[in-house]
Amino acid sequence: MRWMWIDQVIAFEPRKRLVAVKCVSLAEEHLHQHFAAKGDLPPRPVMPSSLLLEGMAQTAGILVGSVHDFREKVVLAKVASAVFDRDILPGETVRYDATIERMDDMGASAVGVIDRFSFVDNSWAPVGRVELMFSHLDQNRAGTEFPEENFVFGENFRTLLEGAGLKRFTAR
Amino acid sequence: METMMAKSREDIEADVRDVLVDALGVDEDDVVPTATLKGDLGAESIDYLDIVFRLEKKFSLPEKPFKIAQGELFPENLMTDPSLVEGGKVTAKGIALLKTKVPHVDVSEFEKNPEISKLPNHFTVKSLCDFTQRKLSA
């Protein structure tokens, strides 16, 4: 099973921007521990910020990878900043909006804006903002050899991306 | 018309300080001219690319983009050539090349014991300011 934290790609502007959504479900077991009831406190299931960051990194990483048609091994190298102002609850939808700031042979920087939709409020609300750096692994070896095979964007992952709807935007 | 005027050294130093505070998460007071990026400010490999991107963004104007080529600021690709590095030390040819290609780095101390691994210790805040000032006036 692939560690996949986006459900669907909803917008794609090649080399510039990619937007994806994730629907948060109480069927995700980790939410039962984050946070479980304790003493008199009721349970408070919220999506962990670390996984919001992962979802944003996947959205931006796919965007960066798509620039070279997924030939480069794109890895998250740095979280330059991450600010989250609001919890995300089961039943809500997260929107990851990633934009490439700068890019060269060595890697790329991207900015991600996170919003959420609540059916209770029937509205979108801002959740947070992150700045990420991605490295093109083969351009930054520093003497380290990596496998030829692209273990970042393998066949399985590309199939998953098709399932997430990326092909709608790339099919000619 | 402020953007048309050349930036003063003071402005450049302030802008470089902002870049380093954002890129490295360091305290403004720690960004002094003699501070080394690696030793004093804790820069790691990906931070150098982050610094390059942030400098480009900070100093680019619509009419004059500030584009830093690979190896122009940090000589990472120069030093993979075996004729320039021998047994972990930069050769005389390598030192000469550093002086030409990265004049913003003061190699006078480095050349006394030119171990390649020690080269990043000679990249200071002043190196970045010198580089930026020279490139802006080019």
Side-chain angles (χ1 to χ4, degrees), chain A residues 19-92:
Chain A
V19 186
V21 289
K22 175 193 167 42
C23 300
V24 180
S25 163
L26 204 48
E28 295 169 43
E29 278 193 28
H30 59 93
L31 293 183
H32 300 194
Q33 303 303 319
H34 192 273
F35 297 94
K38 194 176 177 186
D40 292 340
L41 293 173
R44 168 81 179 160
V46 297
M47 185 161 170
S49 304
S50 52
L51 291 178
L52 282 174
L53 198 56
E54 175 67 25
M56 192 71 245
Q58 291 189 358
T59 306
I62 291 163
L63 172 62
V64 172
S66 69
V67 172
H68 295 290
D69 199 23
F70 301 106
R71 285 189 300 273
E72 294 281 357
K73 301 179 182 99
V74 175
V75 293
L76 177 65
K78 175 175 175 178
V79 179
S81 70
V83 179
F84 301 107
D85 298 318
R86 184 190 299 271
D87 284 339
I88 294 185
L89 312 177
E92 296 182 342

Side-chain angles (χ1 to χ4, degrees), chain B residues 119-132:
Chain B
L119 184 58
N121 299 341
H122 297 269
F123 279 88
T124 60
V125 174
K126 181 177 178 297
S127 309
L128 288 188
C129 295
D130 289 350
F131 169 83
T132 306

Side-chain angles (χ1 to χ4, degrees), chain B residues 33-135:
Chain B
T34 51
T36 60
L37 301 189
K38 188 182 177 191
D40 294 328
L41 303 181
E44 294 177 24
S45 59
I46 192 68
D47 294 324
Y48 295 102
L49 185 60
D50 195 6
I51 291 167
V52 164
F53 283 167
R54 287 176 192 270
L55 287 173
E56 287 181 345
K57 191 175 172 188
K58 191 76 152 181
F59 291 101
S60 278
L61 295 172
E63 66 276 16
K64 195 179 180 194
F66 189 83
K67 179 73 191 151
I68 301 170
Q70 200 177 328
E72 188 183 347
L73 176 56
F74 303 112
E76 66 269 358
N77 52 350
L78 286 181
M79 293 293 124
T80 51
D81 182 336
S83 78
L84 303 176
V85 183
E86 224 175 76
K89 292 198 171 192
V90 179
T91 61
K93 188 181 164 192
I95 296 283
L97 194 71
L98 281 176
K99 287 178 180 170
T100 329
K101 296 279 186 187
V102 285
H104 45 282
V105 181
D106 180 4
V107 290
S108 55
E109 276 301 310
F110 172 71
E111 61 186 333
K112 290 176 190 165
N113 181 20
E115 282 178 44
I116 182 74
S117 60
K118 302 267 172 67
L119 184 58
N121 299 341
H122 297 269
F123 279 88
T124 60
V125 174
K126 181 177 178 297
S127 309
L128 288 188
C129 295
D130 289 350
F131 169 83
T132 306
Q133 188 171 25
R134 192 171 44 82
K135 195 169 167 68

